[in-house]
Every structure is written in C-alpha cells, then in structure tokens.
Amino acid sequence: MQPMYYIGLDVHKRKISYCVKDGSGRIHAEGSISATRLDLDHWMRSLPQPWSAAMEATMFTGWIYDHLKPHAAVLKVAHPLMLRAIAAAKKKNDRIDASKICDCLRCDFLPESHMASTAIRERRRTLRYRNLLVRQMVQMKIKISALLMEAGVSYNKQRLHKAGYFRELLATNPDIDEGLCSLLRLCRETVVRLGKNESALVRSLERDSLLMERLERLMTIPAVGPITALTWALEVGDVQRFSSIKKAISYCGLCGAEKSSGNTVQRTPLSKQRNKHLQTTLIEAAKMAPRNSPELAMLYDKEKQKGNANRATLAVARKLVAYLMAVDRGQRNFQIAETSSSIAA
C-alpha cells in the first residue's frame, strides 16, 4: 500500500502557497504557485501519488476545489473561524498557514466545512445575484423618494412606485422641474429594468430540472413561497448533513450562542455565525406566516404573550425550519399531523 501525502493550501487571489508532507510530518515540498488553472495543472504533475489536500474556505475556493477534486484522493475545505482558533500563533505568514493546514489534515484534526456540489453552487450564485438586484431596486426606490422630498414635492407614498401614478405625478406636478424629472425617469427606468431581470432569474431557477420537484414539495408548506423554497434548497444543499433540527436552526442563525461556566449560563443575542441569506429569508417569511397558517398564527400569539413580537417571529421561523426539514427529508408533500383522542364510554 502506497503512503499518503498530505498537502496544505493557503489560497489567495493571485497565488497559492502549498506545503507537502508525508505521514510522519516530514516536509516533502513547499512553495507557492500562481492561482491559475494552467499553473495548477503543471504543479499537480510534480506531486507524489497518492495525495490528499485541504484549504481554507474563501471566495476563491470554489473553482480551485472543482479543479483539484478529480485528481485528489481526498479533498477537504476547512472552516475559517474554527481553523483560526486552532492555528492561532504569534508569527503568521502564508508558508506557516499552509504548513498548519497540512498538519491539521495529516492528524485528522481539520475542522471541515461542507462543500456543496458544483451544480448547487452554480445555481446558488444565480440566486444570490438575484438578491443583489432586489437590494439595488430598493435603493433606487428610496432614492426616488429622497429626490422628491429634497424638492418639497408632495406625493402618495403607497402609490409612488405604481407606473400610472408615477407618470401622472411627473406630468402634472408643477414643483418638479426638468432636471429633477430626468433624474426621476432614470431611477424609474432602472427599477423597471432590475425588476425584469430579477423575475427572469427566479423563473429560470423555478424551471430548473434539478430543483423543480424539490421546490414543488417545499411550497406545499404554508407561508413558503418560491423565494423561501429556493433559498432553502440552494443554501442548505443536502439536507441530510443536519443530524437534528437544532443544528439546522443554528445554521440558519435563529438561536443565540451559549456561554456557560460553572453554575453561570449566559445566552447571547442571535449568533453572527450563521448563513445570513437563510436567516434573512426565513425571518421575512415568518413575519407573513401567521396570515397563511392557523397553526403558525397560534404559535405566534402564544409566544407573543411570553415576550414581544420579535421573540414570536423567531419561534415561527424555527417552526418553519422544522417543516422544511420534515418535507425535505421525507420527500413528500406537507401535511399537518392529525391528533385524535378517543373517549371511553
């Protein structure tokens, strides 16, 4: 049986530092290469076989992972926060970082991060781009209101972004001069264009053969629409990676961190270690959920009596995670469990 060689990679935009060690920890090779596919191909030809590698999760990790995966015996991605805690040191540089990642992999002490499949990551990129378009639309709508307020123009806030009312406002309001009118038209055209692009991206994902059946099942849950279903499917990926609902809730950022020492237990506000895209979407869905589900409305009212509206919204969001997990794992449409009680005669 051939010995395994272990490689630690410290990934950056322009270069990749590497360290190659054998099972005993002896350095076989170390250095740096340019972060291009061609240089990676030349470098892989010089590696001893077989080899396994690990790298820290960064925005550049995806394409490097896909490029190395077919050639590696094992390829892992490390969780950056946990790795930083393990490998903290007074002296830090790329060469030392690569060596420490290599040692963590060699000793089976690497805090591994989940890496979704290439197909899921490509579609997730599209969904996150759609989120960017929505944020830009909101910014432009706010800018329209700001321009009108700067000029002291009175307008109907509820109808401002309706096409008919907007045209009428520009045509009939004497307080809107030619310069302001041109800026308002430009903002409105941008909002319309962004809206069309956003709708096209959502339709393309809804019709995707990889997601269509899964989305249809998820949308049988009350208060779960296409955006919530898409966000869950693409941000979670494989739902089986969560061994419990509590772990899924933690990943979604719907619970606080716990700090306990001795007899003292302290609960902090919502943890920043979460998937922010899922957290935002689920909280927005939870705010609307009581209008669409009697069960969720009862839960909201019950929790609101104990605390405040924010606490109740979080409770509904956690219940939505439980529903999403059940439907996704069971691969069947959502159904409320009916409880029947029999009364003895």
Side-chain angles (χ1 to χ4, degrees), residues 125-308:
R125 186 187 304 127
T126 301
L127 180 64
R128 291 183 179 180
Y129 187 78
R130 175 261 169 197
N131 296 339
L132 171 65
L133 297 183
V134 172
R135 289 196 298 271
Q136 290 177 340
M137 270 196 296
V138 173
Q139 289 174 353
M140 295 309 297
K141 288 181 178 180
I142 292 172
K143 187 61 180 177
I144 290 173
S145 300
L147 288 171
L148 291 171
M149 286 187 287
E150 285 176 8
V153 178
S154 299
Y155 61 91
N156 187 323
K157 183 179 178 180
Q158 284 71 33
R159 299 178 58 198
L160 177 60
H161 303 295
K162 304 287 186 182
Y165 176 79
F166 188 81
R167 285 195 301 267
E168 181 184 350
L169 181 68
L170 296 188
T172 60
N173 197 303
D175 297 326
I176 301 177
D177 57 30
E178 186 176 349
L180 178 59
C181 186
S182 62
L183 288 177
L184 290 170
R185 283 202 179 97
L186 181 60
C187 290
R188 177 64 190 175
E189 289 170 4
T190 305
V191 169
V192 172
R193 184 168 63 252
L194 289 172
K196 290 180 179 178
N197 291 336
E198 184 267 340
S199 299
L201 291 177
V202 173
R203 284 196 302 270
S204 68
L205 290 172
E206 286 181 312
R207 297 170 183 172
D208 195 298
S209 58
L210 181 68
L211 302 172
M212 189 182 301
E213 186 178 348
R214 187 178 182 185
L215 295 178
E216 289 177 355
R217 286 196 301 267
L218 292 173
M219 285 192 290
T220 60
I221 302 172
V224 173
I227 301 303
T228 305
L230 278 169
T231 305
W232 173 267
L234 295 176
E235 296 295 341
V236 167
D238 182 11
V239 73
Q240 301 298 336
R241 67 192 178 99
F242 296 118
S243 58
S244 67
I245 294 175
K246 286 185 177 180
K247 290 185 178 180
I249 289 172
S250 176
Y251 178 75
C252 296
L254 300 175
C255 62
E258 179 180 336
K259 295 180 181 179
S260 60
S261 178
N263 296 326
T264 304
V265 178
Q266 180 183 3
R267 299 293 299 191
T268 65
L270 291 182
S271 174
K272 296 295 183 182
Q273 296 185 37
R274 85 290 190 208
N275 185 308
K276 63 180 181 180
H277 304 283
L278 262 175
Q279 184 190 56
T280 302
T281 302
L282 286 169
I283 288 176
E284 290 300 319
K287 290 178 180 178
M288 302 295 293
R291 305 181 188 182
N292 301 295
S293 169
E295 291 78 15
L296 295 177
M298 289 175 59
L299 175 63
Y300 180 87
D301 293 336
K302 179 181 177 182
E303 292 296 327
K304 191 174 180 180
Q305 291 173 3
K306 297 179 183 177
N308 52 36

Side-chain angles (χ1 to χ4, degrees), residues 329-340:
R329 276 182 170 175
Q331 295 188 357
R332 59 181 183 272
N333 292 346
F334 176 79
Q335 288 183 342
I336 292 289
E338 296 181 1
T339 56
S340 58

Side-chain angles (χ1 to χ4, degrees), residues 70-87:
H71 308 281
V74 177
L75 190 59
K76 295 183 178 182
V77 177
H79 192 290
L81 288 178
M82 295 182 181
L83 187 66
R84 196 174 302 140
I86 293 170

